[in-house]
Amino acid sequence: MSETARFSRAFFFLLDGARIDVFTELLERVDLPNISRYMVEPGSFRSATTVFPSVTGVAYVPYLTGLFPGRANIPGYRWFDRERYQKRPLSLMRFRNYHGLGSYMMDRDLSRDATTLFEILRPSSNIFSGISRGTGMRRNAAYFRRVPAAVKFFRTGSWDHVDRAGEQFLVRAARRKREKFTFHTTYSVDEYSHLHGPFSPRVRACYIDFDRVFGRLITTLRSLGQLDSSLLMLGADHGHTEVHEHFDLEGFIERRGLKTLYFPNQVKRWLNADAAVMVAGNGMGHIYLKGPAKWTARPTANEHLERHPQLVDDLLGEDAIDHVIYRPGSDGEVRVRSKRGDASVWMDGEQITYKVNTQDPFGYGPLPTTMTRAEALEHTAQSEYPDAPVQVAQVFESPRAGDFLVSANRGYDLRRERHNHLSCHGSLHREHMTVPFTVNHPILDRTPRSVDAFPTILNLLGREIPTGLDGKDLTRAPS
Ligand SMILES: [Zn+2]
């Protein structure tokens, strides 16, 4: 431990799919007494913003790497790789679905330029997250339990056994006194929200169950004499909203005469697709179009629109669709269109240029044309679309991003009904983009981004913060 370190070890708790309002309400009713007493009271509790797409796995990446999903090269829960689809017909790396076995590919998919907290804070351990680079096999013991556990969930509709297993791993990790970093996930809030709705009694009970698990961890840490030297931080990957109607985005593209690859018809389109639709959450989707040449050609969106002039208008003509986002040319412009109007965004390092072309597609009040990323968040944090100018730009830093990205309207999701899906997430909407964030140490009085957790943890453990991150330390005001 260096002289400046406030803590000697850290725990991060990812409460998958936690809504800020439900979490706050339970806190106020003293239904989360341990979180309240050991994180909120000695430290800070904030409404934070997550990333676009606001989906499981993808939105874990910022916490663990300090990078947005675009630069980390994981732009979706499902994605399509144009280059590999064309050149490597036998490869499994040509498109991805992190559901089930695909989750084992996340570490491979993560950009080589990303460094995880597991790699820096060794020894570290991971409990059920898809990203685990740096833990080593032994401290990623939950790895082989994840898929069988999920299969059991789909068979029984119960997620309780997974969380129980997670708790055992957590207590074991806590007892390893030398361990520096432990990342613990709780999936039940997310899974039961999809099945029963985000406000259902079953989901509320999951928040309370997690508080009990956390309470038992506190007891363990106290018995080890490590309670005061443990950094405790909690965040979520996305919120949830109820779904009233399903819109079949895959069918919408297929009906335009395009041979469309999507899950689960990937085998049928193994070789000859001329479009791909990758929906997740299910409130967002990536649309990839081949163009007249090979998949490797990567036409600009304007070139695609010459061949499909009605595409964006037809998408926006659907009640289900709120925003369509694309790069018109090759100068870095990101265009956002909604029924309200359209705007152009450029992200150049820290600087965001935001130009409204007709009416503001997000319905923001007047914004400065140029802002820092921090200012862009500050101006939009309380709006219906927090941090959207930065979020729509960052996702295109991944070469795996679609040609057109679609963000759903409230109340809709973007897949034909397959399972019982009462709730969704993934979009730019406030209720998907806002998450609870609490830590047992004071932080600056500003809206945190999930990506800020990474440098904050490193600083509070007395470690050097790598340069070039998307996240900013929440304990130090920018100089
Ligand atoms: Zn999730």
Side-chain angles (χ1 to χ4, degrees), residues 16-17 56 190 237-238:
D16 197 305
T56 306
D190 185 47
D237 52 344
H238 52 76

Side-chain angles (χ1 to χ4, degrees), residues 63-64 92 125 258 368 404 409 417 420:
Y63 289 117
L64 284 165
L92 290 171
S125 76
L258 298 166
F404 297 88
N409 247 322
E417 179 66 339
N420 187 16

